[in-house]
Every structure is written in C-alpha cells, then in structure tokens.
C-alpha cells in the first residue's frame, strides 16, 4: 500500500501562489487515488490543512528551518513513504525516499535588479540542490520547463509540464452575487480590473502609465481602473505615479478574499494582465473562467496559457504603453469584441482542470514509485 507524501507546509498566506497550488492539487488528487493508495499531507504546526480522503501529519519545522533537513526525513521514514513531493525548492535535500519537485519560474534570475546578490545566489544554489535531489521535476507550463532545462542543464526527460487550472470557484456568477460585490466595493458600472501583486515584474507601472498618459483613459473609455491584490510597500512606484497624475479613476482595493474574487472578475468589463514574466499567469485563466474578456501581455508563458482567447500586446516594445492603451480602448469600446473574447475565454479555461492535473501528477507518482501497474 504505497504512501505518497505531499508537503503542504506552504499552504499559508505567506505563499499565496504555491499555497493555492498545494491546496488545489491535494483536493483534486484525493478522489483519484486507487484502492490501497494513501496520500499524506505534511502541514505546519498550528496550521491544520485537511482534505477529505487524505491523512494529515503536523510538523514543526518550517521550509525556512534548518531542522527540516533531519525532521522531515525522519517523518518520511515513519510514514514509510514511497514518494515525497515538495512544491518548493526549500526542502529536505536528503529525504531518504524518491522525491518530486515542482518549479514555477526564474524571476529572481531574470530580474536581478529587484533582489540582492545574496538572494540570487541562494536561489540559484538551493534550486540546483533541489533539482539534483528530485527524481523528477514538474514545471507548471512548457515555457517554464524549457526555461529550467536551459538554465540548469536538466535532461529533458527528467522534467514534465503539468499545467495549473482555475479553482471550481471561478465560473460565471449570478447577477445577485455580482451586485453584492459591486455594492461591497463601491464599484463603478464599467471598469478594467487587474488582480495580482504589485511586484515589479507585474508591470503595474506600465499599466498606470498607459492608463494616465497622455490623458486619463477613463474619459475616452468611460471606465475606471480597479487594482486588487496584496500590496508590498517596497514597490510603491505605480501608486506614486497615479497620485502624481491626479487620476481619480484608479481604485486600489488591496487584498480581496477568495470568496469575492470570482464575482469581482465577473463584474469587470475587461481584465488586464500586463506582466513582464510569468511561469503560468493563473489570474488570466481565472478571469476567462468567469467569462471576462482578457487583455494581457505576450510575455513568457502567457501566450501558452491564453491561446487565442485574449488580446495580446508586447510589454517590451518601445511603444508598449500606447499599444496597451489602444487595446484597452478598442475592447472597451466594442461590445461584440468583448462577447467574442468572453466566449473564447470560457472555452479556453475549460481546457484546464485540476482533475486532469491531479491525474497527470498521480501517474507521475506511480511511475516513479514503480506502482503504475
């Protein structure tokens, strides 16, 4: 009876993206287990994360703790684990059993100006160590897979692309639910939504610049710009730019609870995602799943995810701001185009499912553990 162990210590607010991946994967894998298979989740002490059909074991060592180098292997021995899956490169590097690692992007290396030399050296060195530990690596897109092969010289057969998917929460919303979210956040009748962090690679400065220059897009398009997501005070340039322009059409919601996010997407006239670098770009497919037309950049993995269901622009072009502004103005001004984008987006999002992600992941587990009979 093989026991597969998924390290769920990152299922906390400190790891919003990785945490969502771990929670969604565990919930989708549980009903796909075969008779005799067990899925055990390692969770942080005091942070219970339970999924029906799985076992949960609390551990005290965090992913940042040196103690995990001996405490996690000891726990894996007690569980007689056939396989250990780490969703993060900070992991036990001698787990004592077959290991699988999930990787996402190379942002610290692609944007060195936004991290210290020490942070970059640690990322590169510890990622290399994690990759050498893993029997097999999962990348969240084919783009990310190629990046890791090129950067770290991985044999192509040792890394597999298994995509993410939108949560089942993200779907077209009832009018009453949308109305309630509109009232809660005092949203205007028409607005362009951005959802995500304000880290530099997200290109909020580029978005605000395109919105405000040469004059506010709000007047030409009869819409506001609503920016939602966690805010890191280290990167305040976008807000400073909006304040300097005196543009009252730009709204800052901060972090929005997941319970409101689907309705926020559905309420938006257009969703915009101007990112410079993404390993996947989950908000794009979440917005599509809610039926919202999408305008996004063509950087890194985003064309792979969006397909032909979004209006794409090049964020690195000399005229990127003007191109983004023109795309937003065109989509905002054309109801037929928005309807077509909405329909294509719903079809595109339906191609991504956590059930399929779970099945591919479990197939990999069984192959590595030698139980895929």
């Amino acid at each position: 009876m093989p026991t597969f162990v998924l390290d769920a210590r990152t299922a906390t607010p400190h790891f919003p993206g990785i945490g969502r991946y771990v929670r969604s994967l565990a919930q989708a894998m549980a009903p796909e287990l075969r008779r005799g298979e067990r899925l055990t989740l390692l969770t942080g002490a005091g942070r219970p994360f339970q999924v029906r059909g799985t076992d949960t074991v609390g551990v005290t060592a965090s992913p940042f703790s040196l103690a995990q180098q001996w405490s996690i292997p000891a726990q894996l021995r007690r569980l007689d684990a056939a396989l250990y899956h780490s969703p993060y490169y900070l992991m036990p590097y001698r787990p004592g059993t077959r290991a699988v690692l999930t990787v996402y992007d190379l942002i610290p290396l692609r944007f060195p100006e936004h991290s210290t030399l020490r942070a970059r050296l640690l990322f590169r060195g510890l990622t290399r160590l994690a990759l050498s530990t893993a029997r097999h690596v999962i990348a969240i897109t084919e783009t990310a897979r190629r990046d890791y092969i090129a950067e770290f010289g991985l044999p192509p057969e040792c890394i597999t692309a298994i995509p993410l998917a939108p949560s089942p929460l993200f779907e077209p919303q009832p009018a009453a639910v949308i109305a309630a979210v509109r009232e809660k956040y005092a949203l205007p009748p028409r607005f362009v939504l951005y959802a995500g962090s304000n880290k530099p690679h997200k290109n909020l400065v580029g978005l605000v610049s395109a919105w405000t220059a040469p004059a506010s897009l709000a007047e030409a398009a009869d819409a506001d710009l609503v920016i939602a997501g966690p805010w890191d005070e280290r990167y305040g340039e976008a807000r400073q730019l909006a304040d300097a322009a005196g543009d009252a059409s730009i709204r800052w919601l901060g972090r929005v609870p997941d319970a409101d996010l689907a309705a926020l997407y559905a309420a938006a006239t257009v969703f915009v995602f101007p990112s410079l670098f993404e390993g996947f770009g989950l908000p794009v497919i979440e917005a599509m799943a809610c039926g919202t037309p999408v305008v996004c950049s063509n950087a890194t993995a985003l064309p792979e995810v969006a397909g032909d269901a979004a209006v794409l622009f090049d964020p690195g072009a000399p005229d990127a701001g003007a191109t983004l502004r023109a795309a937003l103005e065109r989509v905002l001004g054309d109801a037929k185009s928005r309807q077509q984008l909405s329909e294509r987006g719903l079809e595109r999002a339906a191609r991504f499912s956590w059930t399929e992600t779970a099945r591919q992941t479990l197939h990999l587990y069984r192959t590595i553990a030698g139980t895929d009979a």
Side-chain angles (χ1 to χ4, degrees):
M1 183 171 70
T3 296
F4 304 132
V5 177
L6 174 62
D7 195 331
R9 292 176 295 157
T10 51
T12 71
H14 185 80
F15 300 94
I18 300 176
R20 181 171 290 186
Y21 166 74
V22 170
R23 289 189 296 271
S24 299
L25 182 62
Q27 290 162 356
M29 283 199 297
E32 299 297 322
L33 293 170
R34 294 174 179 170
R35 183 185 299 275
E37 291 179 337
R38 298 176 64 181
L39 178 62
T40 297
L41 309 178
L42 297 184
T43 64
R47 300 186 186 93
F49 169 56
Q50 296 180 325
V51 173
R52 186 175 181 180
T54 71
D55 301 317
T56 301
V57 175
V59 294
T60 57
S62 82
F64 303 104
S65 168
L66 183 62
Q68 73 167 332
Q69 298 302 326
W70 55 85
S71 64
I72 299 299
Q75 187 63 255
L76 295 174
R77 285 194 297 273
R78 285 192 287 270
L79 293 169
D80 192 23
L83 178 143
Y84 165 72
H85 182 181
S86 175
Y88 193 42
Y89 70 95
L90 298 183
M91 59 181 285
Y93 300 118
R94 287 192 173 184
T97 189
R98 307 168 186 89
V100 171
L101 170 71
T102 298
V103 296
Y104 309 92
D105 57 58
L106 296 172
I107 288 170
L109 304 183
R110 296 295 181 262
F111 294 87
E113 66 274 21
H114 300 307
S115 60
T116 65
L117 175 60
R118 180 178 181 273
R120 298 196 302 274
L121 290 174
L122 283 172
F123 176 82
R124 183 183 293 278
L126 294 177
T127 296
R128 190 177 295 279
L129 190 56
L131 293 169
S132 67
T133 299
R135 184 71 63 88
H136 203 88
V137 179
I138 296 172
I140 56 175
T141 54
E142 182 59 33
T143 303
R145 176 179 176 271
R146 291 195 299 266
D147 282 351
Y148 272 81
I149 289 172
E151 185 69 34
F152 292 100
L154 290 179
E157 65 274 14
C158 292
I159 180 168
T160 300
I162 302 180
L164 308 182
S167 161
L169 294 173
F170 296 105
E171 61 181 357
Q173 300 291 296
V177 175
I178 296 173
V181 164
R182 282 189 179 278
E183 182 178 3
K184 178 176 179 178
Y185 295 100
L187 297 171
R190 282 165 50 93
F191 66 94
V192 174
L193 174 68
Y194 165 82
S197 77
N198 66 322
K199 291 182 178 179
H201 71 275
K202 296 297 186 179
N203 197 26
L204 277 189
V205 169
L207 174 59
V208 172
S209 296
W211 187 269
T212 57
S216 176
L217 188 55
E219 298 176 11
D222 186 28
D224 287 1
L225 174 61
V226 173
I227 296 173
W231 189 261
D232 189 325
E233 294 294 342
R234 293 176 297 173
Y235 311 118
E237 294 89 346
R239 197 157 193 166
Q240 293 165 9
L241 185 61
D243 291 344
D247 195 332
S249 71
I250 302 177
R251 296 272 313 280
W252 309 84
L253 300 188
R255 187 186 294 272
V256 173
D258 283 352
D260 293 341
L261 195 50
L264 185 62
Y265 280 129
T269 312
V270 177
F271 178 74
V272 62
F273 203 65
S275 185
L276 301 172
F277 197 102
E278 293 293 325
F280 188 91
L282 199 53
V284 166
I285 210 73
E286 290 174 347
M288 288 180 176
C290 294
T292 308
V294 172
V295 173
C296 73
S297 79
N298 66 357
T300 54
L302 290 172
E304 180 183 342
V305 172
D308 66 350
V311 174
L312 302 179
F313 75 99
D314 182 357
D319 62 345
T323 304
L324 171 55
R325 183 184 177 94
L328 289 172
E329 194 166 359
R330 184 172 67 253
V331 176
L332 284 166
D334 187 345
K336 183 177 179 180
S337 175
R338 292 198 303 276
Q339 182 61 33
Q340 290 173 342
L341 285 169
S342 174
E343 291 171 358
R344 291 208 299 266
L346 287 167
E347 292 174 1
R348 183 68 181 174
R351 300 183 187 183
F352 298 84
S353 82
W354 278 109
T355 297
E356 181 58 26
T357 298
R359 287 172 178 166
Q360 291 184 41
T361 304
L362 280 170
H363 174 70
L364 184 62
Y365 284 7
R366 291 165 185 144
T367 300
I368 294 170
T371 63
D372 194 16

